[in-house]
Amino acid sequence: MPGVPYHGNAQWRALRDGSPQEWQDVVEFDAAIRPGNARATAEGTPLLGQAYLHRSRRPLDQAPIDRVTAHEWSGRQGDIFDALADAELENGEPDGCSPWSCRSGAPVQADVDLTA
């Protein structure tokens, strides 16, 4: 994971918050790659610009990894609905009633006169 560029912000946060030593190693690696490959530079094909692990092109310890991206928000929305779908949205209350019937088998009190 640490040597792979362009992780999402959630992956960078998880690394920073869950594995401080690995995070420090990645921050050091990110700083070390800034000038590019030493061999390529020595052979006359230097990196144009600077290399970064984060897509913001900032040093990893300064990158905006606490920002929640639109992709993360959409993923969180799916998680919320997936968690609720089986228990609440799909099945409802175990003894819930509608205007037409009750799951408990209790009769429904009609508020309208159906004979008129």
Side-chain angles (χ1 to χ4, degrees), residues 9-10 12-13 16 23 54 60 63-68 72:
N9 287 345
W12 289 125
R13 283 192 305 272
R16 178 194 63 196
W23 171 253
H54 193 266
L60 195 52
I65 65 172
D66 289 316
R67 192 181 119 246
V68 177
E72 283 182 77

Side-chain angles (χ1 to χ4, degrees), residues 69-113:
T69 63
H71 182 70
E72 283 182 77
W73 276 119
S74 67
R76 288 180 182 183
Q77 290 297 319
D79 293 343
I80 290 169
F81 290 119
D82 291 343
L84 294 175
D86 291 337
E88 296 174 20
L89 295 177
E90 189 69 28
N91 299 325
E93 290 290 324
D95 288 334
C97 292
S98 76
W100 299 278
S101 69
C102 287
R103 290 184 183 175
S104 65
V108 176
Q109 298 294 325
D111 290 338
V112 293
D113 184 9

Side-chain angles (χ1 to χ4, degrees), residues 13-95:
R13 283 192 305 272
L15 183 65
R16 178 194 63 196
D17 300 342
S19 183
Q21 182 56 51
E22 192 174 5
W23 171 253
Q24 188 57 42
D25 292 345
V26 172
V27 167
E28 291 172 10
F29 176 76
D30 179 59
I33 66 167
R34 197 81 60 240
N37 185 301
R39 182 184 310 168
T41 302
E43 293 174 355
T45 55
L47 177 68
L48 300 176
Q50 295 180 327
Y52 296 91
L53 288 180
H54 193 266
R55 62 179 39 102
S56 69
R57 294 183 308 245
R58 295 185 195 168
L60 195 52
D61 58 348
Q62 298 171 20
I65 65 172
D66 289 316
R67 192 181 119 246
V68 177
T69 63
H71 182 70
E72 283 182 77
W73 276 119
S74 67
R76 288 180 182 183
Q77 290 297 319
D79 293 343
I80 290 169
F81 290 119
D82 291 343
L84 294 175
D86 291 337
E88 296 174 20
L89 295 177
E90 189 69 28
N91 299 325
E93 290 290 324
D95 288 334

